[in-house]
Amino acid sequence: MKTTALLLGVAMMAGLTLSLPQAAAQIPSADPGWPRVSTKDKLQLTVYQPQIDSWKDYAQLHYRCAISVKGVFKEERFGIAEMDASTVVDQAARVVAITPTKRELRFPDSSDAEVESLRKAVEEIHPFGRVITLSLDRLLAYVDPAQQPLQHAVEVNLDPPKIFHSSSPAILVMFMGEPEFKPVEKGRSDLMFGVNTNWDIFYDSAEQGYYLLNDGSWLTSKDVKGPWTPAQKLSKLLQTLPADENWADVRKAIPGKPAKTTPAVFVSTEPAELILTQGDPSFSPIPGTKLMRVANSDSALLMDSADGQFYLLVAGRWFRAKSLDGPWSAASKTLPPDFAKIPDGNTAAYVKASVPGTQDAQDAVMLASIPNTTTVKPGDAKLELTYDGEPMFVAIQGTSVQYAVNASETVFLVEGAYYSCSQGVWFTGTTASGPWSFCTHVPAAIYSIPASHPTHNVTYVTVQSSSPETVVYNQTSGYSGEYVSPNGVLMFGAGMLLGAVIADHYGHHYYPSPLYYSYGCGAVYHHGFGGYHSAARRYYGPYGGAGRITAYNPATGTYRRGAYAYGAAGSAAVRNAYNPYTGGYAQAARVNTRYGTAGRFYGEQGGRSVAGGYRTGAQGGVAGVKTGGGAGAVAWDTRNSQGAVVKGREGNVYAGKDGNVYKRDASGNWSSASAAGARPTAAIAKSTRATPSAAAARPAARPTPSQRPATSVSPSTRQSLDRDARARSTGNRPSAPSPSISTRSSSSFGGRSSAPSRPSGGGGRAGGGGRRR
């Protein structure tokens, strides 16, 4: 099948180049769908959706899939491929790359000679070792969380932050502690900028006034805490900003545009949250419960008509209040039972990922437990690290570990050696400033750092393996600040944790990074976007949230603007935002590193590599197309074969654990699959591996359908097949996105979500791995 309309798609074999073609954005999914049909000359191979038996440590997969071969014999022949495989997960794209390590092909009721011919045909069309992709949702639908290793639970703070409410346009300006300003460049004091806030705020010392940049317009105030009003005349000093990249976006907003609306400005010296409603709250009842969703707000906000209280979900934590103006109290441990009864298809169903005891909450924890992997080469070690003054280390209470409070990266001192975790990779050095090399053994003491300490997130980065050629690191979602609470809910960060302010003999102040973990960015969990994202970026500031003081470069005397900013979404939106959890630029709460992408799947084995995204290369490419009428197809063209996935082709063919191939009809009845079609009550005779004794007992030729014995499907086989069918149905079912993935145009009411609009893994259920039974 030749095609000139191929779009560039997901790499389905190892060794493809890692470029990202522009056409990739049009691909509907990284998992093109099932069944997949490949052709070569007169041969045709159909591979049906895999049925998962086990996924050990989220790395070693055992699965079965039904297959059929045409072109070898007159009749289509059905068989089973049973596979062992290694996996690499791309949580952001919600796809799993599967590399077979062992394959066994069986064709029931076929002679040895026929089996050999069929195996040769399969190998010719689909050579052993070729990488395939499977939606993460489809895979997880088969997996029992109770049988999987899960990220351990830690104590987190459930106390509410400061919560503001406005029924008209508003923004939230946060400072980490009392407002702190520094010169915009070395040697001048007339114009200064706020270094510990999530907004562009400047101080004109001549006017003794403040200027705040909001969506291209300027507000001004004589007091940094307000009130703020539209600037009728912009400070002349602002026009003298240094001509470097730090200020490029600000200079574009000079002299600024007239504001369409003047937002209320809430100022806080600690991380806070903002609830915006368009006027008084309006409600949308949730069927089967006494709950109502507040329909005119982007916040995860519900009302329980039974007790008349509002319930706000932020960073995985629930807070309740009689009024939106507060006071608010913790509610995570005492939610009304109706929260677990929210229907799956309801707009508010996404909040069940934060309701203890629900399947959605279990799914979220399991997703967080799937490790991301970064592979590095020892000779590539490079760590850019600076200190504000001489390195200053303080002890972490309850451990033998000290950490640097004035370093641009996380640095530890343990038993005379130095360790740094940067961008999902561990480094070690003999001095506080290096030289640095990749660490192959992290001291156990570091993993005793408690959740109450700002550097606890590094305990989720481990060394998977090391050799003279490569070092492999694993990172689970705790590294991105996603912690499992004792009640089994995935939460963003540890809550309201004040860090100590430490002064050295120079009088400088250092803030443990970050001061607070969880609030100030509207963190909302969404399975389909790989974890926590920011629900309403605009009114939390252009940088998503205030996390720490800007990084100081003593060589130039300048401060890296924006280095203090963080958010649950990171660079998933238009602007890249620094995430202090990961020390790098984050995407959907996953870190991208200079060594590869920890959040995008990247695997390297035997000199071959596989990376997520849409790829093409010397060995071929994969593509997807979608018609305006809703029909869909995916096609690929490689050196070995060509193929397609066409929506509408029957995919209800299954590989039974008993070695037979079965088909399920619309009523749920099972029948055997054969060259002559499906026989409602017959089962194909169980196959065995080819042995001399078995070969002697087999007929020389395939019997006709009338000659084959009809046997009923055994209860155990039926039970197993029913389980596979439920898992397949659940894994393929989409769910509605959360209302926090909005496209509301008013920046004062949240603007566009910082999570990108993209598919969630091959039509898989956006709400996570589905139900295990």
Side-chain angles (χ1 to χ4, degrees):
M1 179 187 68
K2 295 292 184 181
T3 176
T4 58
L6 290 182
L7 301 175
L8 302 174
V10 178
M12 295 190 68
M13 62 175 64
L16 302 189
T17 61
L18 303 184
S19 61
L20 183 60
Q22 185 176 3
Q26 303 176 56
I27 303 296
S29 171
D31 175 348
W34 301 89
R36 300 182 185 179
V37 181
S38 298
T39 61
K40 184 175 184 181
D41 300 328
K42 297 180 180 180
L43 300 175
Q44 177 178 298
L45 171 68
T46 300
V47 179
Y48 292 87
Q49 184 173 326
Q51 298 155 238
I52 310 304
D53 292 320
S54 65
W55 194 17
K56 184 179 180 182
D57 298 328
Y58 308 106
Q60 301 300 319
L61 192 68
H62 184 82
Y63 67 96
R64 297 160 285 123
C65 57
I67 61 175
S68 71
V69 181
K70 288 183 178 180
V72 177
F73 302 106
K74 183 178 180 179
E75 298 174 327
E76 181 180 19
R77 296 292 180 91
F78 285 83
I80 294 175
E82 188 164 353
M83 316 283 282
D84 290 329
S86 60
T87 61
V88 186
V89 179
D90 177 0
Q91 292 200 36
R94 303 191 65 74
V95 67
V96 182
I98 300 172
T99 304
T101 56
K102 179 182 178 182
R103 179 169 74 180
E104 182 179 346
L105 300 175
R106 298 193 294 274
F107 292 89
D109 203 24
S110 296
S111 68
D112 288 343
E114 290 175 327
V115 169
E116 186 61 27
S117 297
L118 292 166
R119 286 175 175 168
K120 286 183 178 179
V122 172
E123 182 63 28
E124 187 173 353
I125 302 172
H126 197 291
F128 175 72
R130 179 186 297 179
V131 177
I132 66 169
T133 56
L134 178 67
S135 161
L136 179 59
D137 296 288
R138 287 176 172 143
L139 194 160
L140 289 178
Y142 284 89
V143 178
D144 183 357
Q147 305 299 319
Q148 296 296 110
L150 300 177
Q151 187 169 290
H152 63 278
V154 297
E155 290 294 335
V156 294
N157 192 313
L158 301 178
D159 296 336
K162 184 179 293 185
I163 298 173
F164 297 96
H165 166 243
S166 178
S167 57
S168 60
I171 60 175
L172 176 58
V173 175
M174 289 176 293
F175 287 91
M176 302 307 296
E178 289 302 313
E180 185 174 349
F181 288 81
K182 298 290 183 181
V184 295
E185 62 182 340
K186 188 176 182 179
R188 61 183 294 186
S189 59
D190 55 349
L191 184 63
M192 312 181 87
F193 75 102
V195 297
N196 60 336
T197 179
N198 54 324
W199 289 85
D200 291 311
I201 299 180
F202 298 87
Y203 177 69
D204 184 323
S205 61
E207 294 183 3
Q208 296 184 8
Y210 297 88
Y211 290 86
L212 164 65
L213 178 60
N214 173 42
D215 198 24
S217 300
W218 290 92
L219 302 175
T220 187
S221 175
K222 288 297 183 179
D223 187 329
V224 71
K225 296 182 180 180
W228 292 84
T229 59
Q232 302 300 321
K233 185 179 180 182
L234 194 62
S235 163
K236 293 182 179 179
L237 286 176
L238 276 173
Q239 302 179 33
T240 66
L241 280 172
D244 60 50
E245 62 180 1
N246 280 339
W247 309 106
D249 55 341
V250 178
R251 290 199 307 273
K252 291 177 182 178
I254 294 176
K257 61 183 180 181
K260 295 181 180 179
T261 59
T262 302
V265 180
F266 295 98
V267 179
S268 176
T269 55
E270 61 189 52
E273 291 291 333
L274 174 61
I275 300 172
L276 284 180
T277 55
Q278 291 181 311
D280 293 333
S282 60
F283 302 94
S284 176
I286 298 175
T289 74
K290 295 181 180 179
L291 302 175
M292 296 184 291
R293 178 176 61 85
V294 177
N296 60 340
S297 175
D298 281 341
S299 298
L301 184 63
L302 305 179
M303 158 155 318
D304 184 0
S305 60
D307 62 14
Q309 298 200 80
F310 289 96
Y311 288 81
L312 174 68
L313 174 64
V314 178
R317 297 156 173 83
W318 289 96
F319 309 108
R320 65 160 63 91
K322 284 286 187 181
S323 165
L324 291 181
D325 295 320
W328 294 87
S329 60
S332 293
K333 295 181 179 180
T334 56
L335 283 178
D338 272 2
F339 279 77
K341 300 176 183 177
I342 298 174
D344 285 344
N346 190 268
T347 306
Y350 71 98
V351 305
K352 290 197 296 182
S354 298
V355 176
T358 62
Q359 185 67 54
D360 301 76
Q362 294 178 38
D363 289 346
V365 172
M366 186 163 67
L367 281 167
S369 305
I370 299 173
N372 294 307
T373 302
T374 301
T375 302
V376 299
K377 297 181 179 179
D380 294 340
K382 183 180 180 182
L383 177 62
E384 297 176 358
L385 174 65
T386 59
Y387 294 90
D388 186 358
E390 292 298 317
M392 178 182 294
F393 288 83
V394 298
I396 298 176
Q397 188 174 4
T399 75
S400 59
V401 180
Q402 299 180 59
Y403 81 111
V405 296
N406 61 336
S408 60
E409 298 285 351
T410 305
V411 183
F412 301 97
L413 174 59
V414 183
E415 296 181 352
Y418 296 86
Y419 301 87
S420 177
C421 186
S422 174
Q423 301 189 39
V425 173
W426 279 104
F427 297 84
T428 185
T430 55
T431 72
S433 300
W436 300 97
S437 60
F438 290 126
C439 180
T440 59
H441 177 73
V442 181
I446 286 180
Y447 293 100
S448 67
I449 297 174
S452 58
H453 196 270
T455 63
H456 173 73
N457 69 300
V458 304
T459 65
Y460 298 89
V461 181
T462 58
V463 180
Q464 175 183 299
S465 63
S466 63
S467 70
E469 291 76 29
T470 60
V471 184
V472 182
Y473 299 94
N474 281 346
Q475 313 93 6
T476 59
S477 292
Y479 184 50
S480 298
E482 297 178 11
Y483 298 160
V484 179
S485 68
N487 63 348
V489 170
L490 188 69
M491 298 183 175
F492 184 62
M496 296 297 291
L497 297 175
L498 281 169
V501 178
I502 303 170
D504 68 4
H505 58 281
Y506 295 108
H508 295 151
H509 290 80
Y510 301 108
Y511 301 83
S513 168
L515 278 177
Y516 309 76
Y517 272 165
S518 305
Y519 306 111
C521 55
V524 174
Y525 183 81
H526 194 282
H527 287 282
F529 292 105
Y532 278 91
H533 66 277
S534 177
R537 185 178 189 82
R538 292 284 181 104
Y539 56 73
Y540 286 97
Y543 305 114
R548 68 174 183 181
I549 198 167
T550 50
Y552 178 68
N553 185 342
T556 62
T558 61
Y559 289 82
R560 276 209 320 268
R561 206 172 131 264
Y564 52 87
Y566 83 97
S571 62
V574 176
R575 182 192 295 267
N576 287 341
Y578 185 89
N579 187 332
Y581 293 115
T582 58
Y585 288 90
Q587 185 170 31
R590 302 293 187 265
V591 61
N592 297 329
T593 81
R594 64 173 67 92
Y595 306 104
T597 339
R600 294 288 182 183
F601 69 65
Y602 179 81
E604 187 172 324
Q605 293 179 340
R608 298 180 300 174
S609 61
V610 180
Y614 303 98
R615 305 288 185 253
T616 188
Q619 298 189 46
V622 189
V625 295
K626 189 173 184 179
T627 68
V634 171
W636 55 89
D637 188 355
T638 74
R639 290 179 178 178
N640 299 294
S641 65
Q642 302 167 21
V645 177
V646 181
K647 192 183 298 183
R649 180 182 176 91
E650 291 185 349
N652 56 344
V653 179
Y654 294 77
K657 286 187 176 181
D658 62 356
N660 299 320
V661 183
Y662 296 93
K663 186 175 181 180
R664 189 174 189 262
D665 63 25
S667 300
N669 298 317
W670 294 98
S671 58
S672 66
S674 70
R679 302 191 306 284
T681 59
I684 299 174
K686 183 177 181 180
S687 68
T688 59
R689 301 183 88 176
T691 62
S693 58
R698 285 192 180 126
R702 179 181 173 89
T704 64
S706 61
Q707 295 173 322
R708 301 188 197 107
T711 57
S712 61
V713 180
S714 70
S716 61
T717 297
R718 181 181 297 278
Q719 183 179 15
S720 174
L721 291 170
D722 285 342
R723 177 254 187 191
D724 286 342
R726 287 195 300 268
R728 182 177 294 183
S729 175
T730 299
N732 293 347
R733 184 174 68 244
S735 67
S738 74
S740 60
I741 312 296
S742 68
T743 56
R744 194 169 292 183
S745 59
S746 171
S747 64
S748 301
F749 282 96
R752 295 185 179 273
S753 163
S754 59
S757 177
R758 50 174 164 71
S760 59
R765 178 175 170 268
R771 305 293 184 265
R772 257 75 61 192
R773 292 178 170 83

